[in-house]
Amino acid sequence: MAHNSTVKIMLLDDEPFMLRLLGRQLENLGFATLFPHVSGAAALDAIAGPGGAPDLILLDLNMPGMDGIEFVRHLVELRYTGSLVLISGEDERMLAAASKLVQAHSIDVLGYLHKPVPPDALARLLEGWTPPRRGEGRVRRDAYGVETLRAAIANGELVNFYQPKVNVGDGRVVGVETLVRWRHPKDGMVYPDQFIGIAEAGGLIDDLTRAVLREALAQARRWRDTGLSLKVAINVSMDNLRSLSFADFVSCEAASAGVSPADIVLEVTESRLMADLRVPLEILTRLRLKRFRLSIDDFGTGHSSLVQLRDIPFDELKIDRSFVHRAYADPTLRAIFEANLTLARQLGIDVVAEGVEDSADWNFLVSTGCDMTQGYFVARPMPAADLAGWIETWGARLRQQPAALTVGAIAP
Ligand code: C2E
Ligand code: CA
Ligand code: CA
């Protein structure tokens, strides 16, 4: 709990009664520096004024005049870098949609609350929240330059991490997904969402994928030589599929590493719209003919579409984690998850559920009969050297309490 009386919290609601109620709840949680406002305009004036922006805003969505969504747009213009909690009497789907919308503006949404706000719900939301220390953090790093990234690739600063994929039925480890990280000499570990887009836009994605693939193949070979039979997946960008030489490159590298194409999974997601799918289609079909396994990634997000599924002979479909985590508790997510599962079954392709984060997610997957899964509940992505040790621990988890994975008796 953030017992920090210096943390600045702004409350915005057109009902003074609500402001008093929320204020009292926050005071009971140890927050004392509160700024209540009944209108968006007054709140924006305060933020732009000498007092500056708060660390957290509790925002009512339904207000006469400027509503909550419009208020957020002004926050974006003011480059607000604090956190936000949305409050409304609207139903769950409406609140979820509004919170997605705000997140799309890169504002940190701690969550949403239904009116009337139960005190324990507010407490739970704030429990995991660390108020920013003034003047540091929270500010997004400047984007890396193309030349910096080019040098990083050349200097071998990119490293592969591997996240296990396991069978839902018996817990057996079937493979790993390769996830690249950048060990930045000054900034520490940099995650792919901060540099894949730059690599794609800057014409470096072929170099990046080649580096990742080479290392993953060498690693696949080492695992096999120690008796570990694992399918190794790597992420392929649509921008890798512009040049016909890509299929030959992949297949030559696999041959020289001594790894069978059937043990390599290529995960493809359409990160942006492609006008002409003929070349990607040709490359993927050729790779499939050479027996590489093809996986459609982030399925259901709009990037990976039914059109791709129709046109490309995929072996595997990965249901995006936004439809997996908490699907047991949300009828909309559950319906989407089950529709995707049925679709894959009818097409005769394997299903991997991404983002199983806790035992409740796991139990849900067991109940649906989904084939495979990966997620923090099973394991976080790890360096290659940690995998053998993790497999032992996982085996012990399965052996010691065989029922553990279906009753959720083990914490992740
Ligand atoms: P992805 O392919 O969908 O990979 C799964 C991402 O979800 C990974 O993030 C992984 O760490 C994260 N994840 C795994 N389990 C859980 C979970 O239970 N909960 C949550 N919340 N997250 C989980 P990461 O490593 O940051 O990678 C992000 C994305 O960057 C990847 O999404 C992939 O699209 C891209 N990427 C990663 N490596 C490469 C690469 O070598 N080449 C290309 N082109 N893209 C890559
Ligand atoms: Ca992937
Ligand atoms: Ca994915």
Side-chain angles (χ1 to χ4, degrees):
M1 179 93 46
H3 283 294
N4 192 340
S5 55
T6 62
V7 173
K8 292 168 67 178
I9 302 185
M10 176 177 277
L11 311 170
L12 179 52
D13 197 307
D14 58 300
E15 294 172 63
F17 167 73
M18 274 304 293
L19 290 176
R20 278 197 300 279
L21 199 73
L22 286 170
R24 210 162 312 129
Q25 291 186 13
L26 286 167
E27 277 162 9
N28 290 340
L29 295 170
F31 296 99
T33 318
L34 308 178
F35 302 90
H37 291 279
V38 286
S39 84
L44 289 172
D45 281 349
I47 293 172
D55 302 307
L56 174 68
I57 302 177
L58 268 52
L59 172 66
D60 178 25
L61 280 180
N62 315 70
M63 293 183 292
M66 189 188 299
D67 63 46
I69 300 292
E70 193 187 345
F71 178 77
V72 167
R73 202 155 31 75
H74 291 294
L75 279 184
V76 174
E77 282 159 14
L78 290 171
R79 299 183 187 282
Y80 176 66
T81 55
S83 306
L84 200 69
V85 169
L86 300 178
I87 301 180
S88 170
E90 299 285 340
D91 67 15
E92 176 79 19
R93 290 186 60 185
M94 185 59 211
L95 270 166
S99 117
K100 283 264 156 59
L101 193 67
V102 178
Q103 275 162 347
H105 287 299
S106 298
I107 289 183
D108 175 37
V109 182
L110 296 187
Y112 47 81
L113 297 167
H114 292 275
K115 279 186 185 179
V117 178
D120 59 328
L122 182 60
R124 238 178 293 128
L125 264 192
L126 295 180
E127 217 164 41
W129 179 62
T130 325
R133 267 180 279 167
R134 219 161 288 288
E136 57 173 85
R138 301 253 149 205
V139 183
R140 265 163 266 131
R141 278 186 199 132
D142 283 344
Y144 293 101
V146 175
E147 289 318 312
T148 318
L149 183 57
R150 190 193 305 278
I153 298 172
N155 296 337
E157 288 172 22
L158 298 192
V159 289
N160 288 352
F161 271 46
Y162 300 91
Q163 186 180 38
K165 283 187 190 174
V166 302
N167 260 341
V168 176
D170 55 10
R172 200 167 50 85
V173 184
V174 283
V176 290
E177 175 179 1
T178 309
L179 294 159
V180 68
R181 272 97 182 83
W182 177 1
R183 267 195 223 283
H184 193 285
K186 287 207 198 76
D187 296 346
M189 195 72 91
V190 181
Y191 289 85
D193 55 345
Q194 295 199 42
F195 60 87
I196 294 291
I198 297 166
E200 286 174 342
L204 294 175
I205 196 69
D206 276 336
D207 290 348
L208 183 145
T209 304
R210 282 162 198 243
V212 170
L213 179 74
R214 274 204 190 101
E215 178 50 32
L217 286 168
Q219 188 54 53
R221 178 61 195 258
R222 286 194 283 274
W223 278 322
R224 205 194 61 201
D225 290 347
T226 60
L228 264 183
S229 149
L230 294 170
K231 295 217 183 312
V232 175
I234 77 146
N235 289 286
V236 171
S237 156
M238 281 304 268
D239 287 311
N240 292 132
L241 304 178
R242 287 176 190 275
S243 148
L244 287 168
S245 62
F246 186 74
D248 292 326
F249 169 76
V250 173
S251 109
C252 289
E253 289 293 321
S256 66
V259 177
S260 157
D263 290 332
I264 300 300
V265 183
L266 303 171
E267 297 191 4
V268 187
T269 178
E270 197 176 9
S271 53
R272 66 179 104 114
L273 279 183
M274 275 229 166
D276 189 348
L277 279 174
R278 277 173 301 181
V279 173
L281 192 69
E282 179 174 338
I283 296 171
L284 290 173
T285 309
R286 281 187 59 210
L287 285 164
R288 180 64 159 59
L289 275 174
K290 294 176 194 288
R291 300 283 175 263
F292 287 93
R293 291 177 61 81
L294 302 183
S295 171
I296 184 163
D297 205 352
D298 303 332
F299 193 74
T301 57
H303 295 312
S304 289
S305 63
L306 291 170
V307 173
Q308 289 196 25
L309 205 52
R310 180 195 66 195
D311 292 343
I312 299 169
F314 285 106
D315 304 276
E316 176 183 283
L317 180 153
K318 297 187 82 173
I319 303 182
D320 190 69
R321 67 165 181 271
S322 58
F323 306 118
V324 175
H325 178 50
R326 293 192 53 77
Y328 62 87
D330 182 325
T332 308
L333 297 186
R334 201 187 172 116
I336 297 172
F337 179 91
E338 280 166 1
N340 285 344
L341 191 62
T342 308
L343 178 66
R345 287 264 181 281
Q346 287 180 351
L347 295 173
I349 61 185
D350 291 339
V351 179
V352 181
E354 296 187 311
V356 52
E357 288 196 2
D358 50 39
S359 55
D361 288 341
W362 176 277
N363 291 346
F364 167 71
L365 293 181
V366 170
S367 76
T368 62
C370 169
D371 306 306
M372 287 169 273
T373 189
Q374 64 185 96
Y376 296 165
F377 176 71
V378 177
R380 292 190 177 248
M382 62 187 88
D386 294 354
L387 193 80
W390 172 83
I391 290 178
E392 270 185 37
T393 321
W394 175 248
R397 234 171 119 182
L398 292 168
R399 269 193 313 279
Q400 281 166 9
Q401 285 172 293
L405 293 173
T406 49
V407 298
I410 291 182

